[in-house]
Amino acid sequence: MRVAVVTESFLPTINGVTNSVKKVLDHLALRGHEAIVICPAADAPESYAGFKVHQVPAVAVREFPVGLPNLAVQRILDDFAPDVLHAASPVLLGGHAILAAKRRGIPAVAIFQTDIAGYTARNGVGLMRELAWSVLRYVHNQADRTLAPSTASIRDLARNRIERVERWGRGVDLQAYHPQHRQDAATRRLRAELAPNGETVIGYVGRLAPEKQVERLAQLRGLPGIRIAIVGDGPSEPALRAQFAELPVVFLGRRTGAELSSAYAAFDVFVHTGTEETFGQTLQEAHATGLPVVAPLAGGPIDLITHGTDGYLFDPSIDGGPDSMRNYIERLVENAPLRARMGEAGRRRVLDRSWESVCDELVDHYRAVCVPAAITTAAS
């Protein structure tokens, strides 16, 4: 197949959208498909996985490059003549590309991955929430199929009248994230730094931004025998450093590759704090590493955790009590055998979620939307 991948985010920007797009491109190359990438101009590489990368004009919004509708997109599509358009988390650039594809009879698959409407409310522009949903509804309803990563996001899309929605989750690298990395020299060194006296390490991985609600970790103040390790960076880091000044917190910065694998392997418990995740890729990475996971009973984590088996889902509306984040973490800190059992259950849970199998599902979605186009062409 010939696939035009239009993404609102790409290298060198690192986030969930970029990482997912990279995995899709890797898989398309593995299976012998042809592809191109269209992304906002932000010093992206000229190619990725052997595929040409086309950059189009963009503006910076809160230091994030936002691609703009541009006639170049139409010329690129005409030159490449794709069988299908893959629009990753489409808004302005992706929406423009979907419309251009529709005019050319090219089927489009839109990937819902970012809760933009939720972010507007959290960042102090709640009046824009309905406008955001209106834009998303228009963009996604132009696509032949929208793929959402969780039952919670599918419900949100249905409530907001977005049509033709199917579920498509995310894969996880089962080798990069593996319990065996606990024995690696790099992990042992990091572990010695994080827990010099044998403390239980509570780990968080993710962007440090308002929507991630990392400040919730302040609930762990006074909990004995723990160290908190935070992997990631972002605009909230200065405020979090000040807020956590009296907590046993270590900020490890942004990590990728083997360094990120070692960080997970150095944790004892993984905690996720935000309630606005459409999926929760870091939860899968933690499970693959053999960690129990504690996350809010909201959004994507609901599909990724079996409460009491491979982790706990806490009530994000409370700070204390039996269903609070603090209580579940305290329970795990005090019970090493429980941590081990839940970690093993988490690893088993993701064994069938390799990126190879998940991306094969994606290609099946491509083929499904191409069939009506093929039938129409043959009939004419």
Side-chain angles (χ1 to χ4, degrees):
M1 298 188 75
R2 295 172 65 82
V3 184
V5 177
V6 181
T7 177
E8 303 289 343
S9 176
F10 198 58
L11 297 170
T13 302
I14 300 295
N15 54 33
V17 174
T18 297
N19 290 336
S20 179
V21 167
K22 287 170 55 185
K23 293 296 185 181
V24 169
L25 294 170
D26 290 340
H27 188 76
L28 293 176
L30 176 69
R31 292 290 190 250
H33 300 290
E34 298 179 61
I36 58 169
V37 180
I38 303 174
C39 66
D43 297 321
E46 293 184 359
S47 65
Y48 181 85
F51 301 135
K52 174 69 175 175
V53 175
H54 299 269
Q55 299 187 73
V56 298
V59 296
V61 177
R62 293 183 63 194
E63 303 180 359
F64 184 83
V66 175
L68 300 174
N70 191 278
L71 290 176
V73 173
Q74 302 174 42
R75 291 196 296 269
I76 294 166
L77 292 178
D78 287 338
D79 290 342
F80 183 66
D83 297 310
V84 65
L85 179 88
H86 171 121
S89 199
V91 189
L92 293 179
L93 176 59
H96 174 69
I98 290 170
L99 289 172
K102 190 172 185 177
R103 288 194 294 270
R104 288 157 174 78
I106 301 167
V109 173
I111 313 299
F112 179 76
Q113 193 164 344
T114 307
D115 183 9
I116 295 172
Y119 289 175
T120 58
R122 175 155 295 278
N123 285 279
V125 283
L127 293 177
M128 298 292 288
R129 184 182 180 92
E130 288 305 314
L131 176 60
W133 272 119
S134 296
V135 171
L136 291 174
R137 180 165 50 251
Y138 178 76
V139 168
H140 281 270
N141 282 346
Q142 302 305 310
D144 296 85
R145 180 170 296 189
T146 286
L147 301 181
S150 65
T151 54
S153 58
I154 289 173
R155 285 195 298 268
D156 283 344
L157 293 171
R159 278 196 298 267
N160 287 280
R161 305 190 303 283
I162 293 176
E163 303 164 353
R164 299 179 296 282
V165 179
E166 301 277 346
R167 184 172 172 183
W168 178 63
R170 301 292 180 269
V172 62
D173 189 329
L174 297 171
Q175 295 306 311
Y177 305 103
H178 196 290
Q180 68 187 11
H181 293 308
R182 292 173 187 158
Q183 306 307 319
D184 294 350
T187 301
R188 291 186 176 208
R189 286 194 297 270
L190 179 59
R191 175 78 192 188
E193 296 172 8
L194 294 176
N197 299 308
E199 295 93 343
T200 301
V201 180
I202 314 300
Y204 167 86
V205 176
R207 182 166 161 78
L208 305 183
E211 66 271 11
K212 300 300 184 180
Q213 299 166 270
V214 185
E215 64 275 6
R216 183 172 273 124
L217 292 175
Q219 292 180 22
L220 303 182
R221 182 173 280 108
L223 191 62
I226 68 166
R227 296 292 299 281
I228 302 169
I230 296 177
V231 175
D233 59 13
S236 295
E237 182 172 346
L240 290 170
R241 284 183 177 273
Q243 184 176 358
F244 295 164
E246 297 179 1
L247 283 169
V249 173
V250 178
F251 286 85
L252 297 175
R254 188 174 72 178
R255 296 192 170 209
T256 59
E259 283 193 336
L260 181 57
S261 298
S262 292
Y264 276 109
F267 300 160
D268 295 300
V269 176
F270 184 81
V271 61
H272 178 75
T273 52
T275 59
E276 295 165 2
E277 296 297 322
T278 58
F279 186 64
Q281 181 62 15
T282 57
L283 279 69
Q284 287 201 142
E285 292 166 353
H287 270 155
T289 309
L291 297 174
V293 175
V294 178
L297 181 63
I302 295 174
D303 289 335
L304 301 179
I305 297 173
T306 299
H307 184 75
T309 299
D310 48 45
Y312 292 113
L313 292 164
F314 65 84
D315 183 344
S317 68
I318 59 176
D319 293 340
D323 291 325
S324 68
M325 181 189 75
R326 179 188 173 97
N327 178 64
Y328 289 129
I329 289 179
E330 185 174 13
R331 190 179 301 182
L332 288 165
V333 168
E334 295 174 347
N335 194 332
L338 177 62
R339 295 199 301 269
R341 289 197 302 273
M342 285 191 166
E344 290 171 4
R347 173 73 183 178
R348 289 194 300 272
R349 183 188 188 103
V350 297
L351 288 178
D352 65 346
R353 302 306 295 168
S354 70
W355 274 109
E356 185 173 342
S357 65
V358 167
C359 286
D360 278 337
E361 292 176 14
L362 176 63
V363 174
D364 287 341
H365 285 294
Y366 293 163
R367 292 194 175 105
V369 298
C370 286
V371 168
I375 292 174
T376 300
T377 301
S380 63

